[in-house]
Each structure stands twice: as C-alpha cells, then as structure tokens.
Amino acid sequence: MRRRTRALALVVGAAVAAPLAACAGSGSGTPVLTWYINPDDGGQAEIAKQCTESAEGQYVIETSLLPRDASAQREQLARRLAAKDPSIDLMSLDPPFIPEMAEPGFLAPVPEDVASRVSENVVAGALAGATWGDELVTVPFWANTQLLWYRKSVAEAAGLDPAAAPVTWDQIITAAQDQDKLLGVQGTKAESLTVWINALVASAGGTIIENPEAPADEITLGLESPAGEAAATIMGTIGESGGVGGPGLPTEDEGASLSIFQGDRGSFMVNWPFVWSATKAGVEDGTFEQSLLDDIGWALYPQVTEDQQTAPPYGGINLGVGAFSEHVDLAYEAAECIVTPEHQAQYFATNGNPPSNTEAYDDPAVSEAFPMADVIRESLEIAVPRPQTPYYNEVSSGLQQTWHPPSAVTPEVTPTESTDLITAVLRGEQLL
Amino acid sequence: MSTASTGAGAVKQQVPSGARPDLRDDAAKAGRSDRAKAEARLGWLLAGPAFVVMLAVTLYPILQAFYDSLFHFRLTAPDDRRWAGLSNYAVVLSDPIFWQALGVTVFITVVTVVIELVLGFALALVMHRAITQLRGLLRTAILVPYGIITVVSAFAWFYAFAIDSGYINHWFDWVPGISADLNWFAQQGTSLFVIILSEIWKTTPFISLLLLAGLSQVPTELEEAAEVDGATWWQRLTRVVLPNMKAAIMVAVLFRALDAFRIFDNVFIMTNGANGTEVLSLLAYRTSIGRLEIGLGSAISVLLFLCVILICWIAVKLFKVDLAGGARGAS
C-alpha cells in the first residue's frame, strides 16, 4: 500500500515537474522558431525536424498548421501580422498574396547575401512570384504549375499527340465533343477559377492588370482586349449547357476534375501534378486498374492559338519571414536550410510538390516518383503568375463574381462587366 | 443553446403573469416593501457581474464596430486610415449587392420560420398528446439535429446533394426534374432549396420544444370545458389552445427569426454566396475578413445589427411579445 502511494506520488510529481522543466528549457536557451505551414502530407514537418537537427541547438523549428483553403491562410496571416504578432517567424505563403504582405512591411527584408544564395538555379516563374517591387521579398520554396493531362486513347482517336506538339483549346474541345467526353477544368466559384482565367488571358498574350504596382484607384485592367475576349470565348464554349464541361462544371474544383478524368467520360484535364500521385495511389490500393494509369499522358498547358506559346498557371509556396519576429536572422538561416535542393527533392518525391530549384530535378527519386518532372520544369520556366498586386483579393473575387458560372460567360459582356466591377471596387465605390 | 434556455424560461414566465394579472397590479399599487427592495438589491448583486461581463463582450464590440464604420480603413494599409463620415453607409446602401443579400436573407428567414412553426407545432402536438410515455426520450431524440454543429450538418447536406458524391440524385431520380445530371448548387432556386431544407431540419426541434413548453402550460380544464360544450378538435385548437399559448408562439418566432436572419454557416459551406445566394452575414464576413476592409465591413455589420433590432422592435411593439413581463410580475 505504501509502495503504491509512493509510486503515485512519483507520477504526480513527474506530471507537475515535466511542463515546468519544458518551460525552463525553452525559456533558458534555444530559440524556438514557429513556422506557419499550409496543410500537406507531413513533408514540411519532416523538413522542420531535419533542419532542427542540423542546426545543432542553434534553433528549434516548430510548425503551426494554417487552414486548408489558400484564402483562409491569407486571412489568418494578414490579421495576425496586422496585429504585429511576434509568434510568426516563418510562414508558407501562396505567391498571389505576397504583394499584400510585402507592401505594408509585414515581411522582414531578405538580406542581400541570402537573396543571392536562394535565387540560384530557381525557375523563372518562381522567382517572379517571390518578388515584389523588383526585390526578392520571400524565399522560393516549391513551385507548382498545371499541365495538360490526357487519356491517350481519347487523344489517339482524335488524331492528337499533345506530347509531341502543343495542342490548342479548340482542338481538345472538339476532340471531347466528337467522342462525347468531358473536359476537366475548374469552374467553381473559387481561387481555381481565377487560376484558369489568368492562364487563358496570359496564353492569349494579355494580362489581367496592366499596372499591378499602381495604387488601388489607378489600376487599369487589360480584360477588354482581344486576349480577354479569347479567354471568355473558350470558357463560354466549355460552359455551354450540354457542353464538354458537364453539369458539374459550376461546382467543379481540382478534385472533382480528377474524378471526372478518372471516369469513363474522362478525356483532357488541366490540373496540378498531385493528380498523378493521387491516381497512382488509387491504383496501388485497388481503386483503379493499372490500365487507367497507363492511359494517362501529360503535356504542356493548352495554347489559345497555334502561333502563341502557352502561359501555364503558376502556384506553389514561398517562405516569408515575419517582420515582427524576434529571431529574423535565425529565421532566414532556417529558411535557407528548408529550401536546399535536397529538401525540395525530398518534398517532391514524398508530397508531390515540385521544386523551384532546377538542381532538385536531377535527383533520381524525383524522376522515379514523377516521370513528367521534365515537363513540369519546362512548364515552370514559362509559367505566368496571377496578378501581383496588394489588391489581389479584390481582383480575384471580382473575376470570380463576373466569370461564374462559366455558362454565362460571353466575350461581348463578361470582360467589360468584370472590368467595371473590379475598377469600382478598387475605387471604393462598390461592394464585392 | 443559451437562446434555447432563455426562450424556455421566458415561456414559463409568461403564463403565470398572464393568468394572474391581479397579483402584479396589486404589487405595483402597494409599492415595494423592504423585503422586495432587499430582494431586488440581492438580484442586482447576483446578476451584476454577469451583466458587466455581458456589456463588455457585446456593447463594446458594437460601439467599436460603429466607430470603425466611420473610417476608410483597410487592415493591410494601417497608415491609410482616414475619416469617412457616413460615406461607407452610402456605398453600402446604394449598392444592389447589399439589397440583394438583404432580400435573400429575408426570404430565407420568412420561409424557414413559417415552415418550422407549422412543423414544430405538429411535432409538439405529437409529443404532448400522442406519446406521453416516451416524452422524455422523444424530447432528447428530437434535439439531436439541433445539437449537431451547424458546419457539420451543412457539410452533411452539401455532400448528400453534391453532383459527384451525393446520393440524393440517385435516390430521387423518379421525381420529375431530378436526374443524375442535376447540379443543385449551380442555380439560385435549387441552392436556396437545399440551404433552407438544411436549416429547417436543424432548427425545427428548437421551435417544437419551445412550443411544447407553451402547450404544457395551457390549462387542461379549458380544453375539457370546450369539449363538453361540443367544440370540435379544430375549434379547441384555434379558439382555446392557440390563444392561450400566443406568448409562447411569439417568443419562438422571435428567437428563431433572429437566429435565421443571421444565417451564415449553411450558405458559406454550400455555395459561398455563388448563384445569388449571398446573405447579409456572409457579405459582412467577406468584406471585413476576406477583403480586410474594416470600415466598409463594419458598416454592413452595423446595418445587420440594426435589422436585428428592427425585428425585435416589430415583435415587441407590434405583436406585443412581453419578454420581461413575467419577471416583473414575479418580483
């Protein structure tokens, strides 16, 4: 009985002492860096662990999870930074939101030596996405791009070989129509719709914003142009009732596109590379036949016209250092560790997020996991970021409001309507 | 849940004060005795801390929102904060987006409250009359939808009706107009239908429990007397039961209308305001939190608050819902 009491006392004592000891540890020595990460398959947490180990007691990186949705991540970070939250040492930032964070000084300036080291061998699209006002304001981490994924059987029946020569939107629309198939595109009223609009406009040689660095009330849009009209024509054609977009188009996101593509009516799809690892995993667990995986081909994003090179979407994550962090120097040291080509290759192979550093593509693990790694790299070199402006949210939401549902998009009305709305909103004359 | 408990309490307090007006009048005429004064003082002492906390968490943010609404203020441009006067209100009130959101909000409020009132009353009658032995168990069971977090129930309804993963299109493809190709969340009508259905499923139990509390306060002698006089079931319901539980009905309508007017979760999850389904709370959220336009967003929030006050005023003044009458009568 006495022994049991003593054991109980020991347990209680340990329970009380352990948290105190932990407090003493963190308070007395090693600085703890908090890295706000977007949800993934555990890749960022693993890199944080590895960098903590290689720092040999200089710092400890702890991860803190942001919401799943990109715009919700932005909301949380912007609100915390506006309140001068010192707990944000490092943050995983979606590129379109970087100007909004950089403009009011929410990001600690990147030291020159760090900037030159982390820019080495980085693909052009990723470098452009990490820059604001001609200065590197974040550290490029991983870079994403959309490819054209196609069912080889459908392309063959249409006499197309997208891997050999670029294909146009008109060609894939006709091919899908002729074979009563559906195209996989993202028509839901969300950020993915902006991604599609931007890629269409840029592929037609235009830009959504002509002067992205101008103040809100001086911003001019480039949608009322042949490029804007071409983009609206393509989207309207796909959205037509009974058309190749299918009835699910107004609510179709990336996951829904993949489901359609994997189904019997799948034909062509524009989507991020996660679709490959997801389908492969589906084959491994028996959900899909191996023949589905064998039937999938990939190529560069479709062109709007035959003579104009495509401008694929650019996405990914860059690392920002909080301006109110108490350990800015250490945070940049940690950021350099996180983005080494080895870590980027490891992250691509395990989590499916492509590296921004070209060196990482030479890693054998990368080509084994993603046979299309070379096409991804090529796509990243010509990818065009979404409008880089501190008012990106207004621009993106305004586009979503006027270009949704795709069935209502027309070249005569939509570009003008969206220009009027976004301009009025930026001038503070209208709600969004 | 707090509204539920408040509502039930208010119903209970209504009936005695209505049944014995003489007591209240006498007390008022006689003036307050020492004991009554001491009790009132004790009441203030007991309720005082809660009252102060309530002021801190409700009045302060309301005043702050009103103050913020008088400025052009964007969270990511803290240095550009400038006086706007009432111009934010002018922008909001002159914008068709606001009026459309208000229209959708009112539509959802009216439809859900009317349907829930009828359904809730039917459920309350069943619980009150038909199944007396299982009343406790039934009350618990019927509360299950109300106990589910709205976001969770919104997702459940969304996935049930989704065109790719939902089962509704397959189960009901024999109904004219429903087929595997019906995308419920692609048009305004069908989107609002699912949103309203989900609201009704979730909050009818709340109304039915409030009405059950009212039903159980109707004196059985009155009904028996009417029955002896030869009144039919319908006559007893409309002439005896309903007039005697008018206070309970009005409290249920008021609480539920206020709740429905602030609808957010279902719309946010199911359509995020697409296809003309935007409601006022979502508009306020997207402006304040999404666009980080604190001034403009606060103006919408203040207008939303004024609408809520208006609903309360209409209920209290026009329909004579006396929320504090019972409490005053008792003291």
Side-chain angles (χ1 to χ4, degrees):
Chain A
M1 193 65 192
R2 213 172 137 190
R3 195 179 291 164
R4 198 181 293 169
T5 314
R6 194 178 295 168
L8 190 69
L10 267 175
V11 170
V12 171
V16 171
L20 292 176
C23 287
S26 61
S28 63
T30 322
V32 177
L33 303 176
T34 310
W35 177 16
Y36 282 79
I37 58 168
N38 56 307
D40 61 2
D41 289 340
Q44 291 175 101
E46 179 57 31
I47 295 174
K49 209 170 117 192
Q50 290 169 3
C51 285
T52 299
E53 276 166 22
S54 61
E56 293 176 340
Q58 241 193 312
Y59 56 79
V60 171
I61 306 177
E62 277 178 6
T63 55
S64 180
L65 205 58
L66 288 166
R68 184 158 289 280
D69 185 39
S71 42
Q73 292 165 18
R74 162 193 165 269
E75 282 161 16
Q76 185 175 137
L77 288 173
R79 296 174 73 201
R80 280 173 176 271
L81 288 165
K84 300 186 168 41
D85 182 357
S87 82
I88 302 182
D89 297 303
L90 280 162
M91 57 196 133
S92 292
L93 279 173
D94 215 355
F97 306 129
I98 288 173
E100 190 181 27
M101 306 284 179
E103 184 69 12
F106 289 169
L107 301 176
V110 186
E112 266 178 44
D113 55 327
V114 175
S116 65
R117 280 197 297 271
V118 297
S119 311
E120 257 175 54
N121 302 320
V122 172
V123 289
L127 215 49
T131 306
W132 171 244
D134 294 329
E135 262 182 53
L136 195 75
V137 289
T138 52
V139 176
F141 178 27
W142 61 273
N144 217 352
T145 186
Q146 285 194 356
L147 299 184
L148 170 69
W149 305 87
Y150 60 95
R151 298 287 285 268
K152 289 175 187 166
S153 50
V154 177
E156 212 174 306
L160 296 173
D161 185 2
V167 290
T168 62
W169 280 98
D170 285 346
Q171 283 175 311
I172 62 173
I173 290 169
T174 311
Q177 262 165 354
D178 292 348
Q179 297 175 55
D180 193 27
K181 302 281 186 188
L182 296 177
L183 282 187
V185 284
Q186 292 82 50
T188 187
K189 194 181 174 190
E191 186 58 27
S192 53
L193 186 69
T194 310
V195 170
W196 188 22
I197 299 167
N198 187 61
L200 287 175
V201 173
S203 295
T207 50
I208 290 178
I209 295 186
E210 286 172 347
N211 52 346
E213 293 184 19
D217 51 355
E218 289 170 25
I219 282 180
T220 49
L221 276 82
L223 288 170
E224 289 173 295
S225 63
E229 285 163 19
T233 307
I234 291 170
M235 193 176 278
T237 310
I238 294 174
E240 268 171 20
S241 152
V244 287
L249 183 61
T251 50
E252 186 176 328
D253 59 8
E254 291 94 335
S257 293
L258 178 58
S259 301
I260 291 169
F261 181 71
Q262 289 164 335
D264 294 339
R265 295 186 72 190
S267 61
F268 299 87
M269 166 179 72
V270 286
N271 216 329
W272 310 99
F274 83 94
V275 298
W276 177 254
S277 39
T279 311
K280 218 164 100 177
V283 171
E284 277 159 17
D285 67 23
T287 313
F288 303 117
E289 301 285 326
Q290 176 65 33
S291 56
L292 171 70
L293 203 65
D294 297 339
D295 193 34
I296 294 178
W298 49 84
L300 284 179
Y301 201 79
Q303 297 186 170
V304 169
T305 54
E306 273 176 32
D307 51 355
Q308 173 96 37
Q309 192 188 39
T310 181
Y314 159 71
I317 288 290
N318 294 333
L319 296 182
V321 171
F324 312 103
S325 158
E326 287 160 7
H327 311 287
V328 170
D329 294 346
L330 287 177
Y332 272 114
E333 246 177 70
E336 279 196 78
C337 171
I338 291 166
V339 302
T340 56
E342 297 76 39
H343 282 147
Q344 290 193 23
Q346 167 195 326
Y347 195 45
F348 189 25
T350 55
N351 281 236
N353 293 323
S356 61
N357 192 308
T358 51
E359 256 183 61
Y361 287 88
D362 300 332
D363 196 305
V366 165
S367 43
E368 196 185 316
F370 286 87
M372 69 294 301
D374 284 345
V375 183
I376 293 175
R377 184 172 154 178
E378 191 187 343
S379 179
L380 280 171
E381 293 288 0
I382 52 171
V384 174
R386 278 158 275 168
Q388 284 176 294
T389 159
Y391 306 97
Y392 177 75
N393 184 61
E394 276 74 5
V395 176
S396 179
S397 304
L399 288 171
Q400 291 166 34
Q401 200 123 308
T402 43
W403 291 62
H404 185 271
S407 58
V409 172
T410 62
E412 297 80 27
V413 177
T414 311
T416 310
E417 200 184 11
S418 52
T419 302
D420 292 347
L421 174 69
I422 294 168
T423 310
V425 167
L426 288 173
R427 288 184 182 152
E429 295 162 359
Q430 212 174 322
L431 290 173
L432 192 55
Chain B
M1 287 309 287
S2 62
T3 45
S5 55
T6 319
V11 173
K12 278 178 187 166
Q13 286 157 359
Q14 287 291 320
V15 180
S17 68
R20 303 287 306 273
D22 47 333
L23 277 183
R24 195 168 50 174
D25 293 344
D26 290 347
K29 273 178 206 161
R32 293 164 93 193
S33 65
D34 286 348
R35 188 177 163 184
K37 280 180 192 163
E39 274 184 4
R41 203 178 311 123
L42 180 66
W44 272 107
L45 283 175
L46 291 174
F51 186 66
V52 170
V53 170
M54 213 180 78
L55 277 187
V57 297
T58 56
L59 189 65
Y60 166 68
I62 290 168
L63 293 178
Q64 177 76 45
F66 178 69
Y67 177 72
D68 284 338
S69 72
L70 303 175
F71 289 88
H72 292 296
F73 177 36
R74 188 185 167 86
L75 206 57
T76 49
D79 301 334
D80 286 349
R81 184 187 172 116
R82 40 185 219 285
W83 176 254
L86 295 175
S87 71
N88 281 331
Y89 291 93
V91 170
V92 174
L93 291 171
S94 62
D95 198 312
I97 289 178
F98 172 79
W99 293 106
Q100 203 207 326
L102 180 65
V104 172
T105 312
V106 170
F107 176 74
I108 292 177
T109 306
V110 171
V111 174
T112 52
V113 170
V114 168
I115 296 178
E116 284 176 25
L117 200 61
V118 175
L119 272 181
F121 192 72
L123 276 175
L125 272 181
V126 169
M127 282 192 287
H128 187 60
R129 298 278 157 78
I131 320 166
T132 41
Q133 287 118 333
L134 294 172
R135 196 183 291 169
L137 186 71
L138 261 179
R139 279 186 202 192
T140 315
I142 216 163
L143 260 182
V144 169
Y146 193 62
I148 293 175
I149 296 164
T150 314
V151 172
V152 176
S153 89
F155 269 118
W157 282 83
F158 173 73
Y159 286 125
F161 281 85
I163 188 168
D164 48 357
S165 58
Y167 54 85
I168 295 293
N169 281 355
H170 299 286
W171 283 13
F172 294 95
D173 56 0
W174 49 272
V175 177
I178 298 181
S179 70
D181 280 352
L182 175 61
N183 192 347
W184 293 85
F185 302 109
Q187 308 89 27
Q188 187 186 36
T190 47
S191 303
L192 284 177
F193 175 76
V194 183
I195 289 167
I196 287 174
L197 210 58
S198 165
E199 280 282 303
I200 291 171
W201 175 79
K202 194 171 150 32
T203 42
T204 301
F206 169 62
I207 289 245
S208 73
L209 282 190
L210 282 186
L211 294 179
L212 180 64
L215 262 182
S216 58
Q217 301 288 334
V218 177
T220 44
E221 309 89 69
L222 291 180
E223 276 195 80
E224 282 164 10
E227 200 173 357
V228 170
D229 290 345
T232 62
W233 177 84
W234 181 250
Q235 283 171 327
R236 270 179 282 146
L237 181 71
T238 51
R239 304 273 174 84
V240 179
V241 177
L242 287 180
N244 271 293
M245 58 181 290
K246 187 191 154 216
I249 294 172
M250 289 323 297
V251 168
V253 168
L254 176 62
F255 283 139
R256 184 57 202 125
L258 292 180
D259 203 25
F261 198 80
R262 292 179 290 113
I263 180 174
F264 177 83
D265 315 46
N266 272 318
V267 184
F268 182 67
I269 300 294
M270 292 193 202
T271 62
N272 199 13
N275 321 315
T277 56
E278 184 146 82
V279 288
L280 273 188
S281 301
L282 188 62
L283 183 64
Y285 169 82
R286 285 200 309 106
T287 311
S288 294
I289 311 292
R291 292 182 58 197
L292 303 168
E293 286 284 358
I294 304 299
L296 212 51
S298 297
I300 301 174
S301 300
V302 169
L303 290 171
L304 178 64
F305 175 68
L306 292 179
C307 290
V308 168
I309 295 279
L310 183 71
I311 294 176
C312 282
W313 183 83
I314 291 173
V316 173
K317 291 289 171 193
L318 298 189
F319 295 103
K320 311 268 189 275
V321 177
D322 189 4
L323 292 171
R328 267 202 308 272
S331 65

